[in-house]
Amino acid sequence: MCKRARMCSFLRERGFEPYKVTPDRDNPMYDVFLFTASPELYQAVMEYINTSSERRDLK
């Protein structure tokens, strides 16, 4: 499950497509993107997290 539009875009750029988009239960004004779990998806998410951390550290 992905709630962040930037992370979703990052994953899509790497070839992952959500199998479902649904309204967020906590805030129906936003969407939640559902992806099939896989080691490759996990690796891409970790890359996103590490890259985001590096960008924050540069500020």
Side-chain angles (χ1 to χ4, degrees), residues 7-19 33-47:
M7 182 185 289
C8 185
S9 294
F10 179 88
L11 294 173
R12 285 181 160 175
E13 287 171 4
R14 278 148 184 78
F16 299 97
E17 287 296 324
Y19 66 86
F33 304 89
L34 303 174
F35 292 87
T36 302
S38 70
E40 295 81 11
L41 178 69
Y42 176 78
Q43 184 176 358
V45 169
M46 294 308 296
E47 179 184 343

